[in-house]
């Protein structure tokens, strides 16, 4: 690697029903590729069984926490393991999410938008619903929700901030509507004090590029919004995936540090070359 490894804060467990590997497997993979810090962030429970096929059940939350804490304690001389969660921002569920966050001792909580209304726009089973949307309208609806997720003040990291492009549906980047919805989203993130996730997951998806787009990375860097790295690993082989690619992009826009989290306090780590 060109860069000294930074924390990878986005990885899942089989409890979400679409990932493989134990926490220990993820931790071992991290150690094998030279990482010093990771955090688990499985898909959180949601109220009313909402899209429950794609997330852990509330009854699994304690086992999830115990597994992370046991791995953290067992490996404490080799790897820092943080206790995190990827919660959904879905209007109407804020009180549930707030109470779930308050009930446990998280190192960080990622807030992600995976739904516009009932449409799981990044779910391959729902891809046909794109036929009902103009791309620009879907992007604006999506960025509006990401903006609201930041304004909610619930989250430490704003997850994969242009996930809407996952399958390669593109907005008109020159449209003033798109530009202003991106800008409003970033202004809300800036105001919230949360970090923006730079995610390598898009490299493994049809869109074939990191989240968010370089244009958004550049503007966030200009605004001084902190970044946190995530591979969004759903398998231990994906731990640390694309880290150098993401860090090179950050460096090209003048970013010199990356966020680290402990007990929901953010500190910045200098980016250094290996
Ligand atoms: Zn997932
Ligand atoms: Zn996600």
């Amino acid at each position: 690697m060109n860069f000294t490894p930074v924390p990878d804060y986005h990885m899942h467990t089989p409890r979400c029903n679409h990932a493989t590997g134990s926490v220990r497997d993820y931790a071992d993979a991290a150690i094998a590729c030279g990482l010093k810090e990771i955090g688990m962030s499985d898909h959180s429970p949601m109220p009313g069984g909402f899209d429950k096929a794609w997330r852990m059940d509330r009854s699994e939350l304690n086992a999830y926490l115990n597994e992370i804490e046991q791995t953290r304690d067992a490996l404490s001389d080799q790897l820092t393991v943080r206790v995190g969660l990827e919660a959904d921002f879905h209007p109407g569920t804020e009180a549930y999410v707030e109470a779930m966050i308050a009930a446990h001792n998280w190192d960080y909580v990622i807030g992600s938008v995976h739904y516009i209304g009932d449409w799981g726009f990044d779910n391959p089973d729902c891809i046909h619903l794109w036929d009902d949307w103009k791309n620009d309208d879907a992007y604006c609806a999506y960025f509006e929700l990401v903006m609201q997720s930041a304004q909610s003040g619930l989250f430490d990291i704003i997850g994969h901030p242009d996930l809407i492009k996952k399958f390669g549906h593109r907005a008109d980047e020159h449209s003033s509507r798109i530009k202003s919805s991106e800008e409003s989203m970033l202004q809300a993130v800036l105001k919230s004090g949360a970090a923006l996730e730079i995610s390598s997951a898009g490299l493994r998806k049809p869109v074939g590029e990191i989240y968010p787009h370089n244009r958004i990375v550049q503007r966030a860097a200009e605004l001084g919004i902190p970044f946190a790295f995530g591979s969004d690993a759903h398998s231990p082989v994906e731990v640390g995936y694309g880290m150098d690619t993401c860090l090179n992009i950050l460096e090209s826009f003048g970013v010199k540090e990356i966020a680290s989290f402990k007990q929901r306090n953010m500190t910045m780590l200098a980016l250094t070359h290996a």
Side-chain angles (χ1 to χ4, degrees), residues 101-234:
I101 294 172
H104 301 283
N105 195 13
W106 307 103
D107 287 310
Y108 61 88
V109 178
I110 301 174
S112 295
V113 173
H114 299 105
Y115 307 92
I116 297 173
D118 288 339
W119 177 32
F121 59 80
D122 79 319
N123 184 337
D125 300 338
C126 302
I127 197 167
H128 60 282
L129 293 174
W130 272 100
D131 297 345
D132 300 341
W133 284 81
K134 290 196 174 75
N135 289 1
D136 283 13
D137 292 343
Y139 270 67
C140 287
Y142 170 79
F143 283 127
E144 171 82 20
L145 288 164
V146 179
M147 179 185 80
Q148 290 173 22
S149 78
Q151 288 169 339
S152 76
L154 290 167
F155 308 116
D156 305 296
I157 299 171
I158 301 301
H160 40 59
D162 64 350
L163 179 67
I164 189 75
K165 73 185 177 187
K166 175 175 172 177
F167 297 120
H169 302 85
R170 295 290 190 174
D172 174 6
E173 63 181 81
H174 303 296
S175 130
S176 57
R177 257 179 93 209
I178 295 294
K179 283 187 195 164
S180 90
S181 65
E182 285 178 3
E183 179 70 14
S184 303
M185 181 273 285
L186 288 175
Q187 291 292 345
V189 176
L190 175 65
K191 202 169 166 197
S192 76
L196 197 69
E197 185 179 51
I198 184 162
S199 166
S200 62
L203 296 169
R204 308 188 296 269
K205 304 298 183 201
V207 70
E209 63 180 42
I210 68 153
Y211 306 117
H213 191 279
N214 283 5
R215 180 179 66 251
I216 297 176
V217 175
Q218 179 173 23
R219 179 63 180 144
E222 273 171 21
L223 291 169
I225 294 171
F227 289 90
F229 171 76
S231 65
D232 208 346
H234 285 69

Side-chain angles (χ1 to χ4, degrees), residues 42-86:
D42 211 359
H43 294 286
S44 73
M46 289 282 279
F50 183 80
D51 213 13
K52 66 180 182 179
W54 292 85
R55 58 192 59 263
M56 76 171 105
D57 191 80
R58 187 70 187 245
S59 65
E60 297 176 293
L61 199 50
N62 280 337
Y64 169 72
L65 288 161
N66 288 338
E67 188 190 354
I68 302 172
E69 287 167 4
Q70 279 168 15
T71 306
R72 175 190 68 192
D73 296 347
L75 293 174
S76 57
D77 55 343
Q78 297 173 71
L79 181 72
T80 299
V81 178
R82 302 293 188 202
V83 181
L85 189 69
E86 181 179 19

